Amino acid sequence: MAEPFPLAPSLWATTAAPAPDTPPLARSGLAEVVIVGGGFCGLSTALHLAERGIRPVVLEAQEVGYGGSGRNGGQVIPGLKYDPADLVARFGRERGERLARFAGGTADVVFDLIARHGMDVPHRRSGWIQGAHTEAGLAEVAKRAAQWAELGAPTRVLDRAETEQLLGTDRYLGGWLDGRGGAIQPLSYARGLARAAQKAGAIIHGASPVTALERTGSGWTVTTAQGERVTTGRVVLCTNGYTGGLWPNLARTVIAANSFQVATVPLTDNLRRSILPEGHVSSDTRKLLLYFRLDHTGRLLMGGRGPFREPRSPADWAHLERIVAKLFPQLDGIAFDHRWCGRVAITRDYLPHLHEPAPGLLIDIGCQGRGVGLQSAMGRAMATYIATGDAGSLPLPLTPIEPLPLHGLNRLYVSAIIAWYRLRDGGIR
């Protein structure tokens, strides 16, 4: 997907480790498994399949990490949008507790993979702080911290003074700290997953957009835009926020919202010591949450919602630049040298969805803005399911594809909701 106007590359594209060699699919052939999509989920699935002796072929429309995987904030946050007690209430004790354990371990998967494969990925695991901007938010984070602590997570509630000290801003009433969280260079991580998968035996083709999936006998024929075909027994679809019309109604099950980010020029040592001095990452309790961190080059990144459409000019990031100065007055007048955005796939129930609409076709969709850990762990779980056939290895049940009602109007609906949330959130916007 080409940018509608010329912008400098994202911060991650500027500072990432070199991309692996992933030439386009040049001739038709056979594969045990074809994975469509070279983001975190597709690459993790490929790596874990290859480690099991199953040699997959990954077909990516652009280059690995091109979509939301290489354009996110690089925050590795465990858990889901629901707290453990909510998951038990929704799924029952056995499945709910199992899902909570899965969600609680997603950050571990990321940092374990980086270490085990010696990936060239700048990373730091100092923890995640969720700041509360209202009294209701304070109650929410206290409950959340207590529930995860009961499951053994290293959490603690922060008062206003400690929150200010650790974040470097006085705009929050308090918060909680989850020691499992951390930060990575996300595009380097995607490229690291690709290199590890290739080393284990996976084949990865970039610039090979898939245009058709056809059921042929007991298998599938996967056709690319170049006209080349791969015949396979199983297909795994991992396209998330960049899902198109490859499978009927799938794109209509999510809202592919645009997450916008800006990065300052590298901060001076004095400024760096005044903001997130212990290397935490942070997002808050707002409905339209803000998320921020320092990267390995000393830049401050600020992310949040922007227009649903693709950006038209640098003015589409101006609200984030204003927020930086309001949250951190010491940065008033700072220059910004990177602006970018990427799509996240949001489902109606804010949970990832797993589908198997036809024999041999497995679909994962719905990253909910926590895709780094979630999709890395989901890829491992899907690889286990493909290799063993045990549906119990999946964290969630396989469900039918159910399009959102009036999906064509959802952009208007989301825009109205965003305007309402901005009024409710108040404060620094």
Side-chain angles (χ1 to χ4, degrees):
M1 183 183 299
E3 299 289 352
F5 69 102
L7 281 176
S10 76
L11 173 62
W12 307 133
T14 301
T15 63
D21 186 25
T22 57
L25 180 67
R27 60 182 180 181
S28 298
L30 305 174
E32 291 180 82
V33 178
V34 170
I35 298 169
V36 182
F40 295 146
C41 187
L43 295 170
S44 177
T45 304
L47 170 59
H48 288 98
L49 282 174
E51 289 181 330
R52 287 176 168 269
I54 299 172
R55 194 179 190 192
V57 170
V58 178
L59 299 176
E60 160 59 39
Q62 303 286 341
E63 62 173 339
V64 294
Y66 171 83
S69 293
R71 303 193 199 190
N72 62 83
Q75 296 196 20
V76 188
I77 302 173
L80 295 165
K81 296 293 185 183
Y82 297 93
D83 296 328
D86 299 323
L87 295 175
V88 169
R90 186 179 186 93
F91 292 100
R93 181 158 301 280
E94 181 181 354
R95 183 175 282 277
E97 289 180 349
R98 184 155 59 88
L99 179 54
R101 288 193 298 272
F102 168 85
T106 56
D108 291 338
V109 174
V110 174
F111 293 108
D112 289 350
L113 284 170
I114 291 172
R116 179 158 61 91
H117 294 281
M119 295 182 189
D120 181 11
V121 178
H123 62 282
R124 183 169 181 176
R125 197 174 192 183
S126 298
W128 166 58
I129 295 174
Q130 185 176 32
H133 72 294
T134 63
E135 293 291 341
L138 278 177
E140 177 186 337
V141 299
K143 180 187 72 170
R144 182 164 299 134
Q147 288 187 27
W148 282 113
E150 287 179 5
L151 297 180
T155 73
R156 60 188 175 93
V157 176
L158 307 174
D159 63 19
R160 184 167 193 159
E162 192 172 13
T163 302
E164 180 178 351
Q165 175 188 351
L166 293 177
L167 295 184
T169 176
D170 63 1
R171 291 302 188 116
Y172 295 102
L173 304 181
W176 76 295
L177 169 60
D178 185 341
R180 299 169 296 177
I184 62 167
Q185 211 282 18
L187 183 55
S188 287
Y189 175 57
R191 291 174 175 179
L193 283 174
R195 290 185 187 280
Q198 289 173 325
K199 186 175 179 179
I203 299 171
I204 303 175
H205 294 290
S208 301
V210 174
T211 56
L213 298 177
E214 182 183 1
R215 183 81 173 146
T216 51
S218 60
W220 293 85
T221 298
V222 182
T223 304
T224 66
Q226 297 97 317
E228 307 297 342
R229 295 175 172 84
V230 182
T231 302
T232 182
R234 182 178 282 275
V235 176
V236 186
L237 199 54
C238 306
T239 47
N240 263 307
Y242 293 79
T243 297
L246 196 57
W247 190 258
N249 291 323
L250 182 62
R252 296 172 58 208
T253 67
V254 296
I255 300 298
N258 232 346
S259 188
F260 281 61
Q261 294 162 77
V262 295
T264 68
V265 296
L267 306 182
T268 64
D269 289 344
N270 284 340
L271 288 175
R272 287 175 69 171
R273 284 192 290 267
S274 74
I275 298 171
L276 298 163
E278 296 185 19
H280 297 99
V281 300
S282 184
S283 56
D284 60 26
T285 55
R286 298 173 190 274
K287 293 294 185 181
L288 298 178
L289 65 82
L290 301 173
Y291 55 96
F292 49 93
R293 57 167 285 205
L294 294 173
D295 83 326
H296 63 289
T297 68
R299 290 171 164 87
L300 177 72
L301 282 67
M302 178 65 67
R305 287 286 179 264
F308 193 95
R309 56 171 170 74
E310 289 301 302
R312 294 171 180 163
S313 79
D316 286 326
W317 286 268
H319 63 295
L320 294 175
E321 297 176 17
R322 290 193 297 270
I323 286 169
V324 167
K326 291 179 178 179
L327 266 184
F328 304 105
Q330 64 269 48
L331 297 186
D332 190 20
I334 194 80
F336 295 84
D337 62 4
H338 291 84
R339 301 170 181 87
W340 72 100
C341 58
R343 296 281 175 181
V344 296
I346 302 173
T347 61
R348 179 164 49 180
D349 58 8
Y350 298 103
L351 287 167
H353 290 176
L354 295 171
H355 308 298
E356 201 168 41
L361 176 60
L362 180 61
I363 299 173
D364 164 75
I365 194 166
C367 56
Q368 319 306 329
R370 293 197 181 188
V372 181
L374 174 62
Q375 297 302 332
S376 298
M378 192 67 80
R380 183 177 68 177
M382 293 199 302
T384 300
Y385 172 61
I386 292 167
T388 66
D390 177 15
S393 62
L394 296 172
L396 288 157
L398 294 162
T399 58
I401 293 173
E402 296 182 355
L404 288 164
L406 302 174
H407 185 270
L409 299 177
N410 271 284
R411 291 194 178 196
L412 295 175
Y413 172 75
V414 170
S415 296
I417 289 294
I418 287 174
W420 168 242
Y421 281 162
R422 282 203 177 106
L423 289 175
R424 287 189 58 189
D425 286 339
I428 62 175
R429 294 178 186 276

